[in-house]
Amino acid sequence: MRFMLLMIPHGYETAAPGTIPEDVDAVSAMMAYNESMQKAGVLISCDGLHPPSMGARVSFKDKKPKIVDGPFAEAKEVLGGFWVIDVPSRAAAIEWAARCPGSDNEVIEVRQIQEIGDYSPDVQALTSEFASMQTVKKTEP
């Protein structure tokens, strides 16, 4: 079962453009955590995200895209990073989240990733090519 662990650092919603972690001890602890997941064979991917002040939101009122550049005044919680892991159960995903060396202002939300088999047969038929869409392809600079 695949799960996404979503890091929600409180205060990041108002972080200035270009804000990145600079606490060497915290980054070192996080790298050790990432390495432990990699060595256990559960880590699929992980990345940090730039603050919302560098992002954009696209909404679809009346099916028309509306683009708003960050920061977002109404944001109360935003993502600071994520891990995708493959573990046997929800309990195992929660155990991995609990091992994270997070700080007092961070929360990890654990969410199971929907698998094609979770859908009805009709929807599964429509998504037969989905696996090929999930393959990461590097683009040349």
Side-chain angles (χ1 to χ4, degrees):
M1 302 170 83
R2 293 179 302 149
F3 287 84
M4 184 172 261
L5 309 181
L6 306 163
M7 175 60 80
I8 303 168
H10 297 294
Y12 204 49
E13 60 275 3
T14 58
T19 298
I20 57 171
E22 295 188 14
D23 180 334
V24 173
D25 291 337
V27 172
S28 178
M30 196 61 73
M31 290 305 297
Y33 172 67
N34 295 341
E35 186 177 6
S36 71
M37 287 194 289
Q38 186 179 42
K39 285 182 178 177
V42 302
L43 183 64
I44 295 173
S45 70
C46 63
D47 273 305
L49 301 172
H50 281 282
S53 55
M54 296 176 66
R57 288 185 176 174
V58 181
S59 58
F60 299 92
K61 185 168 175 77
D62 299 321
K63 298 188 178 186
K64 294 180 183 174
K66 177 184 175 189
I67 297 135
V68 176
D69 288 326
F72 314 110
E74 71 283 356
K76 292 181 182 171
E77 292 183 335
V78 298
L79 296 178
F82 66 91
W83 299 265
V84 176
I85 61 174
D86 190 352
V87 293
S89 66
R90 178 178 178 269
I94 292 170
E95 286 176 23
W96 277 107
R99 294 180 194 175
C100 180
S103 66
D104 290 346
N105 73 324
E106 295 173 320
V107 172
I108 294 178
E109 183 175 331
V110 178
R111 303 274 302 273
Q112 186 174 353
I113 295 173
Q114 295 174 344
E115 304 288 349
I116 299 299
D118 296 336
Y119 294 97
S120 70
D122 290 343
V123 173
Q124 286 184 37
L126 292 171
T127 60
S128 63
E129 297 298 319
F130 187 66
S132 67
M133 293 178 193
Q134 292 177 304
T135 303
V136 177
K137 295 179 182 171
K138 300 277 183 182
T139 55
E140 295 297 320

